[in-house]
Amino acid sequence: MRCFISIKTKTPVFLVTQIISRLFGLIPRGRLWLVILGLTYLCSACNASEAQSSGKQAGKKRAVPVVVTTATQKTIPIQLSATGTVEAYSTVSVKSQVGGQLTGVYFQQGQNVKKGDLLFKIDSRSLEAALMQANAAKAKDLAQVKQAQANVTKAIAQVNQAKANVAKDVAQATNADVQAKRYNSLLKEGAISKEQADQYQTTADAQRATVNADRNGVADAQAAVAAAQADVQNAQAAVVADEAAIANAKIQLSYSSIYSPITGRTGSLKLNQGNLVEANATDPLITISQIRPIYVTFSIPQRLLPDLKKYSANGKLEVSAIPPKDTGRPIRGELTFVDSGLNTQTGTIQLKATFSNTDERLVPGQFVNVVLKLTEERNVITVPSQAVQTGQQGQFVFVVKPDKTVEMRPITVGDTIGNQTAIKQGLQPGEQIVTDGQFNLVPGATVQVKPEVGSTGAGRQKGRGEGEQGENNNS
């Protein structure tokens, strides 16, 4: 009995040997060491077993440090995620409509320009000379118009004069006829000689011939008026042609100054100052892209088309876009275009969203992450996504009970929005769930709750980082 007590109390081996020698003095020395070694081994095994038992008891009582959060009930958006491509709202290729030497470039490539800003100047001396020539031709034809109008006035005066002559000669012819008739009567009465009567008749005939000649003169004068009026019309037509030539010369001259047709951003400059510009060349001088507003093009699977039609019937749908590695807030826009047909090769339909892009965070050709918001779902229980674990029986979370032990609770998950996951079944609002430290837990384990660090967002990021570290360590 004293031997086992001394061994339990960690008595040195040589002292045990002395005690055994006194108790078992009759035992031969050759066998005494065998007894001592057996007893020592037995005592060591007992001590190891006792230490292991003590360690297990201590492990059962040790609390596992975890980070927890509360399952909340709130409104979440129903969204579709996709990858989109940024497209310019409109793109214009600027070409020259006249040829000549490029005498001025008034912008820097890649610069933002406004509609109406001067971009290029082309040598315009030949165009200015053509305009001056057209103006001179118009002045000449205007003078001809005036001359023709003067001729019309003159011809009208001649017509009036001829008509006056007709009236005078008609009166004289009438008087001569009267005289001839009176003298013919006197001739019949024998009051005058036949010679005198014939003289008055001749005078009457001459007057009638004069009247006829005057009437022909009136017709000729009227014909001259018509000819003069035709000359006026021809001269006026020449003036109209000259005005058209002047307008064309002005247009051609205006082409020598090239202005921006839209507000946008210039691309790469194709020709520098001093080069010869070809009219309507194949390659543009510059390309301008309108980026405010701007389009983002993306596609969704055709199976989602009924949902899209359903929710878009209630109004414009909100679209968010954010470029990769952009730490700013998502850029808000709205869905403005749904393609009329599906892509049969990919089974998707193309959509376009319009963004104001006032801060120019979106650039044509850029790939962006797109989120199309269809509607909102109210009173949904949500938890941080890192709290959801996957096991052989499906997805679950660790729920912290009031006695600080954990329960492995099976759940049914819904949509994931950002770092929040909707829980359809398995949780109630207000229950505490573990968001970090799950890999050290078993059902019924006691936990020690660690406070989240910083703000809500920072705490979630911290929890997610710790979870990733736990996964790495566990692996």
Side-chain angles (χ1 to χ4, degrees):
M1 178 65 67
R2 290 181 181 177
C3 173
F4 288 105
I5 292 174
S6 65
I7 292 174
K8 272 190 173 182
T9 56
K10 300 182 180 179
T11 305
V13 175
F14 73 91
L15 183 58
V16 175
T17 305
Q18 291 180 0
I19 294 172
I20 293 174
S21 298
R22 291 178 183 179
L23 292 177
F24 305 99
L26 299 177
I27 299 175
R29 282 188 174 273
R31 296 182 180 180
L32 182 60
W33 287 103
L34 294 175
V35 174
I36 293 172
L37 290 174
L39 291 172
T40 303
Y41 176 78
L42 179 62
C43 293
S44 299
C46 291
N47 289 336
S49 175
E50 182 179 358
Q52 184 176 3
S53 176
S54 300
K56 288 183 178 179
Q57 292 177 357
K60 291 181 179 179
K61 296 180 180 179
R62 186 184 302 122
V64 179
V66 295
V67 177
V68 301
T69 190
T70 302
T72 58
Q73 192 174 34
K74 58 185 178 181
T75 299
I76 64 171
I78 305 301
Q79 300 174 334
L80 302 177
S81 299
T83 300
T85 305
V86 182
E87 293 182 0
Y89 191 79
S90 63
T91 301
V92 177
S93 297
V94 179
K95 298 182 179 181
S96 175
Q97 294 180 276
V98 295
Q101 186 180 28
L102 189 61
T103 59
V105 178
Y106 299 92
F107 67 95
Q108 298 292 329
Q109 51 187 350
Q111 173 187 337
N112 288 339
V113 294
K114 296 180 180 180
K115 182 178 180 180
D117 286 352
L118 179 63
L119 302 178
F120 302 99
K121 284 283 290 183
I122 298 174
D123 186 7
S124 60
R125 289 174 294 179
S126 61
L127 300 174
E128 291 172 353
L131 178 59
M132 293 175 61
Q133 185 176 2
N135 283 325
K138 178 183 176 181
K140 177 182 176 182
D141 290 334
L142 283 174
Q144 291 180 349
V145 168
K146 292 181 179 179
Q147 181 63 41
Q149 289 173 341
N151 292 337
V152 169
T153 302
K154 180 180 178 181
I156 291 173
Q158 290 177 348
V159 169
N160 293 332
Q161 181 63 42
K163 288 181 178 180
N165 293 336
V166 168
K168 182 187 70 172
D169 292 338
V170 165
Q172 291 177 353
T174 301
N175 183 56
D177 285 338
V178 171
Q179 291 293 333
K181 289 179 180 179
R182 186 165 62 87
Y183 278 96
N184 283 332
S185 297
L186 292 174
L187 177 62
K188 291 178 180 178
E189 294 175 357
I192 61 171
S193 64
K194 187 177 183 325
E195 183 178 359
Q196 288 178 326
D198 291 341
Q199 183 178 0
Y200 280 100
Q201 185 63 44
T202 301
T203 301
D205 293 339
Q207 287 299 324
R208 283 195 296 271
T210 301
V211 169
N212 290 333
D214 291 338
R215 286 174 176 169
N216 291 333
V218 170
D220 292 341
Q222 289 175 338
V225 170
Q229 289 175 338
D231 291 341
V232 170
Q233 291 177 352
N234 291 335
Q236 289 175 338
V239 170
V240 172
D242 293 336
E243 289 175 346
I246 291 172
N248 181 65
K250 287 181 178 179
I251 292 174
Q252 296 298 316
L253 181 60
S254 69
Y255 291 156
S256 64
S257 297
I258 302 176
Y259 299 91
S260 176
I262 61 172
T263 298
R265 179 174 295 174
T266 59
S268 176
L269 184 62
K270 304 301 181 182
L271 287 178
N272 294 317
Q273 182 174 342
N275 285 281
L276 289 177
V277 176
E278 182 182 352
N280 299 312
T282 303
D283 294 330
L285 296 173
I286 196 71
T287 299
I288 302 176
S289 298
Q290 184 177 356
I291 59 175
R292 292 187 296 178
I294 202 167
Y295 285 132
V296 172
T297 301
F298 59 101
S299 299
I300 63 172
Q302 61 179 351
R303 60 182 174 82
L304 300 176
L305 187 57
D307 291 336
L308 178 66
K309 291 181 177 180
K310 173 184 175 182
Y311 295 114
S312 62
N314 299 327
K316 293 288 187 179
L317 298 181
E318 181 182 296
V319 181
S320 301
I322 186 166
K325 299 183 180 180
D326 191 324
T327 58
R329 295 175 60 85
I331 308 166
R332 305 295 181 187
E334 62 181 23
L335 185 68
T336 54
F337 170 77
V338 179
D339 203 351
S340 58
L342 295 171
N343 187 326
T344 56
Q345 295 181 348
T346 61
T348 59
I349 187 168
Q350 188 183 70
L351 311 178
K352 279 188 181 182
T354 303
F355 297 81
S356 59
N357 200 31
T358 53
D359 53 1
E360 297 186 1
R361 288 169 62 191
L362 299 177
V363 180
Q366 186 180 34
F367 290 100
V368 294
N369 297 318
V370 179
V371 177
L372 172 61
K373 180 180 177 182
L374 297 177
T375 185
E376 291 182 344
E377 189 173 351
R378 300 182 181 277
N379 301 323
V380 178
I381 300 173
T382 62
V383 299
S385 299
Q386 65 265 28
V388 180
Q389 304 294 309
T390 303
Q392 294 181 350
Q393 303 300 323
Q395 293 176 305
F396 65 91
V397 294
F398 283 106
V399 179
V400 179
K401 298 191 292 186
D403 61 355
K404 299 301 181 183
T405 61
V406 294
E407 171 191 356
M408 191 172 71
R409 182 82 59 79
I411 57 172
T412 303
V413 301
D415 295 326
T416 298
I417 309 299
N419 63 346
Q420 294 288 310
T421 298
I423 307 299
K424 294 183 176 180
Q425 292 180 354
L427 282 181
Q428 295 297 324
E431 289 188 302
Q432 286 192 323
I433 59 172
V434 178
T435 59
D436 187 33
Q438 300 98 317
F439 299 102
N440 297 320
L441 294 178
V442 294
T446 302
V447 296
Q448 177 186 0
V449 178
K450 298 192 301 182
E452 289 184 324
V453 180
S455 63
T456 303
R460 289 176 181 172
Q461 286 186 350
K462 179 68 175 177
R464 182 166 58 251
E466 290 174 351
E468 292 173 356
Q469 185 177 0
E471 292 178 4
N472 294 335
N473 292 336
N474 187 60
S475 61

